[in-house]
């Protein structure tokens, strides 16, 4: 009976979790980068509206046409590549209906088509076919809103002059008043401290902290609360995780990599940088070129994990040079996409095969940046001064040679008579080399300058060669085909952002010059992008709903003047992220209650104009961390190696949980954690039966409920109402209602056992009130 009550209560308390999934922007990006160029190059010559004669009555330049098909029927069955004629045609053997008619697609191209169809055959509308690229040097291109210089704007005049507390408020209120909307009342102090605590540290406030804040009637009480939370060492942990979503962070890389370098020094660097309020422009530059910046402490090279932690594509060097050349070019594209999307909010990778269909980014621009990436190699980077780091690298190389000698010696049959002596000598030499100062320190998976060349060493044999410390300009790839070189393009920045002309890069790979360009010539765009990202996390919705696409395909800002003014003041205040947090959170808009209003809802059902605060669901990290916090088992040490989240003895913050690039744990996979293979600008909340089953039957909530029940027993030995009140104080920072007390006592029974209290704790941890923040 009690178990069924637990199920009923959980399902009731979780009913309003349901939310429709948003369109998958990643699928659109995959189509634009992987599928559209393939169709254009291999299919549109015979199967498009522009073909001289459409073959077989089939056109492949719109989704409608593909689903309609030609004389043989629909070309694609969304979700079912195995039943799609298009897939059959590209797999066809001689004598069958084979596409393309001359030659065959590469296995990677076939796989891309199958993935596209399996994911629903996303195909953006007709504008994608008819759109024409803009000349990056044209006045029209540079007049686009996101490329404009920043400007601090006059504060709007509003009717309700008493409401604004920050410049932000005046811009928001002006937009509301134009639409006959009014702001909501301020949130109660309990809601406010919970909201601020989760936003700035990812952790719930303690009952004692709530009590102190509620009783503090001084006018600056809230401002002091914000300052205290910003100064917390846990602030960097909370915001590091949002940044790691963008960087496709993973502790465990692809299975074919066996690096000494680790990812976690990069994660810890991000935490430290955010805690110390490293100016954002420096934050950007260090992640691209910390090793090339004069006067920067070698430990700061941990920042190079942004590039060093990139996904690695399998390169079987027993394959032909053309195959490996294509794979290396795909890796360049992935890094260009990560850099441009993260720092500039632009989809530069869409220009790999042709001029960007929507934005003023040319095919030449893409290969100008590709030259920078081609001059950058992945390395295990000791966080040491140059001389010590060089000694460690020499030791690593020598140890690798010695280990190969040991392997060869052990494989000899019969073993030489002096095998044991030789093995002992080799092992002793390895031991001496491992004593090299700094060798046992933890290196980061980083990068260094080194231009890569793919070289044939015979039929179906390939070698990668690096020229250390140098950079070279590379040839464009005709239609994105790495084996069809075109003109060589100098390494440089994007043309549209280079007001005085993009100057060629001459310093090694050009990473440092690129990093400087992003935060100088590209500063207006870079500032708008990061301000929009921070805004989104605080309000639950961005000013620009496409945080990593500030181009023509992206959404326009809801409050353009507000975004411009806030970004301009952000730069004027030294690119300080803590200043930005404070500016947003001290606004009257942020301090509004989240209570719905039917009349206002009718005017603005999506709350686009922020007439109230949005109620938000905790991300999985804060949800798990909160369970550990309220049951008193959370360990708050900062930094260090990752630990398995499935380990029952892991009481650290979820930030330090082990993330495998290609095998997420159930906790993360089921709760909207981003794919570590790709840049993730948004987490799309989902509600699925598996989440409910995880809450009911998964080991995590059972373990935390048991721990919570033990804490409640220790805090309130008398049990009964006192213990129920303590539970509500710990979990929700409020008093339970009379109805909630009666429901709890009825569930627990007259003489509740430890198991009954554990089940009761389970219900509370699985409730919506624990999962959502007002």
């Amino acid at each position: 009976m009690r178990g069924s009550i637990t199920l009923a209560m959980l399902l009731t308390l979780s009913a309003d979790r349901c939310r429709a999934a948003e369109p998958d922007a990643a699928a659109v990006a995959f189509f634009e980068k992987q599928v559209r160029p393939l169709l254009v190059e291999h299919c549109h010559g015979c199967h498009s509206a522009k073909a001289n004669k459409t073959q077989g009555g089939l056109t492949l330049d719109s989704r409608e046409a593909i689903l309609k098909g030609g004389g043989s029927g629909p070309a694609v069955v969304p979700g079912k590549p195995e039943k799609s004629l298009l897939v059959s045609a590209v797999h066809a053997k001689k004598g069958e209906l084979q596409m393309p008619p001359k030659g065959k697609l590469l296995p990677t191209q076939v796989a891309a088509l199958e993935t596209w169809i399996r994911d629903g055959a996303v195909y953006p509308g007709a504008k994608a076919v008819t759109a024409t690229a803009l000349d990056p040097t044209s006045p029209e291109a540079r007049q686009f809103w996101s490329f404009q210089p920043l400007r601090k704007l006059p504060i709007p005049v509003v009717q309700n002059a008493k409401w604004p507390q920050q410049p932000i408020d005046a811009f928001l209120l002006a937009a509301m008043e134009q639409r006959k909307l009014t702001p909501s009342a301020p949130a109660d102090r309990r809601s406010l401290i919970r909201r601020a605590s989760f936003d700035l540290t990812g952790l719930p406030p303690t009952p004692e902290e709530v009590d102190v804040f509620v009783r503090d009637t001084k006018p600056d009480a809230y401002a002091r609360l914000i300052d205290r939370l910003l100064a917390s060492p846990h602030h960097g942990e909370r915001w590091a995780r949002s940044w790691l979503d963008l960087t496709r962070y993973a502790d465990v890389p692809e299975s074919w990599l066996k690096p000494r370098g680790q990812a976690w020094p990069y994660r810890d660097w991000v935490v430290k940088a955010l805690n110390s309020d490293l100016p954002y422009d420096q934050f950007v530059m260090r992640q691209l070129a910390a090793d090339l910046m004069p006067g920067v402490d070698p430990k700061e090279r941990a920042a190079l994990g942004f590039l060093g932690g990139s996904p690695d594509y399998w390169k079987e060097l027993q394959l032909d040079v053309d195959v490996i050349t294509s794979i290396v070019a795909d890796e360049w594209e992935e890094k260009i996409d990560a850099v441009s999307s993260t720092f500039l909010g632009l989809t530069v990778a869409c220009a790999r095969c042709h001029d960007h269909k929507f934005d003023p980014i040319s095919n030449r621009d893409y290969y100008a940046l590709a030259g920078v990436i081609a001059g950058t190699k992945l390395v295990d980077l000791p966080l040491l001064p140059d001389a010590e780091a060089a000694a460690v690298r020499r030791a690593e190389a020598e140890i690798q040679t010695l280990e190969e000698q040991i392997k060869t010696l052990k494989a000899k049959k019969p073993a030489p008579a002096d095998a044991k002596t030789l093995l002992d000598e080799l092992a002793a030499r390895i031991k001496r080399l491992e004593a090299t100062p700094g060798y046992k320190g933890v290196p980061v998976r980083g990068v260094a300058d080194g231009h890569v060349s793919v070289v044939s060493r015979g039929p179906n044999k390939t070698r990668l060669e690096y020229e250390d410390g140098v950079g070279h300009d590379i040839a464009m790839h005709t239609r994105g085909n790495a084996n069809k070189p075109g003109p060589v393009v100098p390494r440089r920045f994007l043309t549209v952002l280079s007001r005085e002309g993009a100057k060629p890069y001459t310093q090694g790979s050009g990473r440092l010059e690129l990093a400087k360009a992003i935060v100088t010539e590209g500063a207006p765009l870079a500032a708008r992008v990061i301000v929009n990202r921070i805004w989104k996390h605080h309000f639950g919705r961005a000013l620009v709903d496409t945080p990593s696409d500030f181009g023509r395909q992206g959404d326009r800002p809801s409050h353009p003047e507000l975004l411009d003014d806030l970004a301009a003041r952000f730069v004027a205040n030294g690119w300080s992220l803590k200043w930005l947090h404070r500016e947003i959170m001290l606004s009257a808009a942020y301090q509004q209650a989240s209570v719905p209003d039917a009349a206002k809802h009718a005017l603005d059902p999506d709350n686009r104009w922020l007439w109230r605060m949005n109620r938000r669901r905790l991300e999985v990290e804060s949800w798990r961390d909160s369970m550990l916090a309220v049951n008193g088992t959370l360990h708050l040490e900062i930094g260090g190696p990752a630990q398995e989240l499935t380990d029952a003895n892991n009481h650290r913050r979820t930030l330090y949980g082990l993330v495998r690039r290609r095998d997420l744990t159930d906790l993360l996979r089921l709760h909207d954690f981003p794919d570590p293979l790709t840049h993730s600008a948004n987490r799309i909340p989902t509600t699925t039966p598996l989440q409910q089953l995880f809450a009911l039957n998964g080991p995590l909530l059972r373990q935390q409920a048991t721990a919570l029940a033990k804490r409640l027993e220790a805090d309130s030995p008398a049990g009964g109402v006192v213990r129920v009140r303590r539970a509500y104080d710990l979990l929700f920072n409020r008093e339970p209602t009379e109805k909630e007390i009666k429901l709890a006592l009825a569930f627990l029974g007259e003489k509740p056992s430890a198991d009954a209290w554990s089940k009761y704790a389970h219900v509370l941890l699985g409730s919506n009130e624990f999962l959502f923040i007002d």
Side-chain angles (χ1 to χ4, degrees):
M1 180 64 178
R2 184 173 288 125
S4 63
I5 293 176
T6 303
L7 173 62
M9 292 176 72
L10 271 176
L11 294 178
T12 300
L13 290 165
S14 300
D16 67 343
R17 284 186 184 181
C18 296
R19 222 175 132 185
E22 298 174 18
D24 189 355
V28 176
F30 180 84
F31 172 80
E32 294 294 351
K33 289 189 287 186
Q34 301 289 340
V35 179
R36 189 191 295 279
L38 191 158
L39 295 176
V40 169
E41 180 176 359
H42 296 285
C43 307
H44 283 187
C46 300
H47 300 287
S48 74
K50 295 181 180 180
N52 292 330
K53 182 179 179 182
T54 302
Q55 300 295 318
L58 173 65
T59 58
L60 299 173
D61 49 9
S62 73
R63 191 173 195 272
E64 181 182 4
I66 289 173
L67 297 183
K68 180 181 177 183
S72 301
V76 162
V77 180
K80 298 180 179 180
E82 71 281 0
K83 294 186 178 181
S84 298
L85 290 176
L86 181 61
V87 173
S88 300
V90 298
H91 276 297
K93 297 178 181 178
K94 190 173 181 180
E96 300 175 331
L97 177 62
Q98 178 181 325
M99 292 294 161
K102 295 181 180 180
K104 296 193 72 172
L105 297 181
L106 294 172
T108 53
Q109 294 173 317
V110 174
L113 281 175
E114 292 175 339
T115 299
W116 168 60
I117 295 170
R118 189 177 298 111
D119 290 344
V122 169
Y123 198 128
K127 67 175 184 178
V129 178
T130 61
T132 56
L134 284 175
D135 177 0
T137 63
S138 69
E140 181 187 0
R142 289 179 169 167
Q143 286 169 5
F144 190 68
W145 74 269
S146 63
F147 303 147
Q148 292 296 299
L150 293 175
R151 54 197 178 125
K152 185 178 178 182
L153 295 164
I155 296 176
V157 177
V158 294
Q159 297 172 23
N160 182 6
K162 293 182 179 180
W163 186 71
Q165 297 182 27
Q166 297 284 89
I168 287 170
D169 295 322
F171 288 101
L172 291 174
L173 184 57
M176 283 188 237
E177 290 179 345
Q178 288 176 10
R179 293 160 179 83
K180 310 301 182 186
L181 290 166
T182 57
S184 296
D188 64 85
R189 292 174 79 80
R190 182 196 70 88
S191 297
L192 201 53
I193 186 174
R194 283 178 62 81
R195 182 186 302 172
S197 295
F198 277 110
D199 268 10
L200 289 182
T201 69
L203 295 170
T206 65
E208 294 74 23
E209 288 170 337
V210 174
D211 187 58
V212 168
F213 178 66
V214 169
R215 293 173 183 274
D216 190 344
T217 57
K218 294 179 182 178
D220 67 341
Y222 177 63
R224 283 187 283 108
L225 168 68
I226 299 303
D227 289 341
R228 175 175 68 78
L229 294 171
L230 286 171
S232 166
H234 307 302
H235 168 71
E237 293 177 312
R238 185 265 176 271
W239 283 90
R241 184 56 256 179
S242 67
W243 183 258
L244 295 179
D245 285 9
L246 306 173
T247 70
R248 60 271 194 266
Y249 176 85
D251 294 290
V252 180
E254 290 72 14
S255 59
W256 49 87
L257 290 180
K258 304 297 180 185
R260 277 190 71 230
Q262 300 293 310
W264 62 262
Y266 170 67
R267 175 247 288 153
D268 287 358
W269 177 86
V270 175
V271 172
K272 182 180 177 182
L274 295 176
N275 274 334
S276 65
D277 200 19
L278 180 70
Y280 181 71
D281 57 342
Q282 294 297 307
F283 184 70
V284 171
M285 290 183 63
R286 279 163 168 73
Q287 292 181 75
L288 297 177
D291 57 326
L292 305 175
M293 297 172 67
V296 170
D297 188 319
K299 293 180 181 178
E300 293 286 292
R301 295 175 186 176
L304 296 171
F306 172 80
L307 288 173
S310 302
D312 183 87
Y313 298 169
W314 172 248
K315 294 176 279 292
E316 173 52 73
L317 298 181
Q318 300 302 314
L319 294 174
D320 188 73
V321 66
D322 287 357
V323 176
I324 305 304
T325 298
S326 296
I327 294 171
V328 169
D330 289 344
E331 287 184 325
W332 296 346
E333 179 189 336
E334 192 282 331
K335 292 181 179 67
I336 289 171
D337 181 63
V339 170
S340 63
S341 297
T342 299
F343 300 121
L344 294 170
L346 292 176
T347 55
V348 174
C350 291
R352 174 180 174 178
C353 305
H354 45 68
D355 290 347
H356 200 294
K357 293 293 185 183
F358 306 98
D359 297 334
I361 301 168
S362 68
N363 199 202
R364 294 180 67 85
D365 281 332
Y366 175 87
Y367 288 97
L369 295 185
V372 176
I373 300 301
T376 304
K377 66 175 184 176
L378 302 182
V379 296
D380 292 341
L381 195 62
L383 305 179
L384 301 167
D386 290 341
E388 293 181 34
V392 169
R393 288 197 190 95
R394 288 194 297 270
E396 288 173 342
E398 193 170 346
I399 286 172
Q400 184 176 359
T401 301
L402 293 172
E403 286 176 341
E404 289 172 358
Q405 291 176 9
I406 289 173
K407 186 177 179 181
T408 301
L409 187 58
K410 287 182 174 179
K412 284 187 176 181
K413 302 294 182 183
D418 59 347
K420 184 179 184 307
T421 301
L422 292 173
L423 288 171
D424 288 345
E425 288 178 358
L426 293 172
R429 288 173 62 187
I430 289 176
K431 189 173 182 179
R432 286 195 297 272
L433 288 167
E434 288 177 342
T436 302
Y439 180 85
K440 293 186 178 180
V442 179
V444 70
R445 289 204 296 270
V447 293
D449 276 2
H451 184 80
V452 63
S453 298
V454 183
V455 179
S456 174
R457 55 187 182 95
N460 295 326
K461 292 184 178 180
T462 307
R463 181 172 65 250
L464 299 179
E465 293 183 351
Y466 291 93
E467 294 179 76
D468 288 347
V470 302
H472 292 298
D473 299 328
I474 65 170
M476 298 172 64
H477 300 162
T478 304
R479 287 288 182 185
N481 187 335
N483 297 296
K484 292 183 179 180
V488 173
V489 179
R491 308 187 303 286
R492 56 168 175 78
F493 195 42
L494 299 176
T495 305
V496 72
L497 298 179
S498 305
R499 299 286 172 171
E500 297 179 3
K503 297 177 182 179
Y505 294 161
T506 58
Q507 302 171 18
S509 64
R511 277 187 293 125
L512 180 57
E513 292 159 292
L514 173 60
K516 289 178 179 176
I518 288 173
V519 295
T520 53
E521 295 170 283
L525 182 55
R528 288 184 177 102
V529 168
I530 189 60
V531 165
N532 187 62
R533 294 195 197 281
I534 301 294
W535 183 279
K536 178 183 184 299
H537 280 285
H538 281 306
F539 283 101
R541 183 169 185 175
L543 295 168
V544 178
D545 273 339
T546 50
S548 289
D549 190 354
F550 274 46
R552 285 202 292 168
Q553 264 194 305
D555 289 336
R556 301 303 182 265
S558 57
H559 300 75
E561 294 83 7
L562 166 58
L563 179 58
D564 269 17
D565 181 74
L566 190 55
R569 292 190 295 119
F570 167 64
V571 173
N573 280 274
W575 297 80
S576 167
L577 290 170
K578 287 193 176 182
W579 174 89
L580 182 58
H581 288 297
R582 198 175 193 276
E583 192 74 5
I584 290 173
M585 296 180 72
L586 291 181
S587 68
Y590 180 85
Q591 297 176 59
Q592 292 179 103
S594 61
V595 180
D597 181 293
K600 295 174 186 176
H601 179 84
L603 293 172
D604 180 22
D606 293 332
N607 193 28
R608 191 66 175 132
W609 307 109
L610 291 176
W611 50 267
R612 66 177 177 90
M613 193 59 172
N614 289 310
R615 193 172 189 237
R616 286 171 288 146
R617 186 165 123 183
L618 290 179
E619 293 171 338
V620 62
E621 295 90 344
S622 287
W623 185 49
R624 176 182 173 275
D625 293 351
S626 295
M627 294 184 207
L628 295 170
V630 299
N631 67 29
T633 63
L634 180 63
H635 294 177
L636 291 173
E637 63 270 21
I638 293 174
Q643 186 176 348
E644 286 280 8
L645 287 170
T646 53
D647 182 353
N649 295 316
N650 181 359
H651 300 291
R652 302 195 66 199
R653 295 197 67 173
T654 313
L655 172 70
Y656 304 113
L658 196 71
V659 177
R660 292 181 174 81
R661 174 151 281 144
R662 296 172 185 271
D663 185 20
L664 291 176
T665 63
D666 288 345
L667 171 68
L668 301 180
R669 181 173 51 81
L670 292 175
H671 295 93
D672 310 319
F673 190 81
D675 183 355
L677 270 170
T678 186
H679 165 95
S680 297
N682 287 305
R683 292 196 187 185
I684 301 173
T686 63
T687 300
T688 68
L690 286 176
Q691 291 170 355
Q692 304 297 327
L693 290 171
F694 183 91
L696 283 168
N697 304 315
L700 175 66
L701 267 79
R702 292 203 308 271
Q703 292 163 4
Q704 304 315 317
T706 300
L708 176 57
K710 290 179 179 178
R711 178 177 184 177
L712 292 174
E713 181 181 10
D715 289 357
S716 307
V721 175
V722 176
R723 194 176 295 181
V724 171
R725 292 185 188 278
R726 179 59 173 164
Y728 272 75
D729 199 15
L730 284 170
L731 274 70
F732 312 128
N733 300 123
R734 69 173 176 85
E735 282 282 317
T737 65
E738 288 301 318
K739 182 178 179 180
E740 287 167 333
I741 292 173
K742 288 180 180 178
L743 180 62
L745 295 178
F747 172 75
L748 291 164
E750 290 185 11
K751 294 182 179 181
S753 64
D755 183 59
W757 278 106
S758 181
K759 285 184 168 62
Y760 177 66
H762 195 155
V763 171
L764 296 182
L765 290 174
S767 68
N768 265 358
E769 187 171 358
F770 191 73
L771 181 65
F772 283 81
I773 299 302
D774 283 322

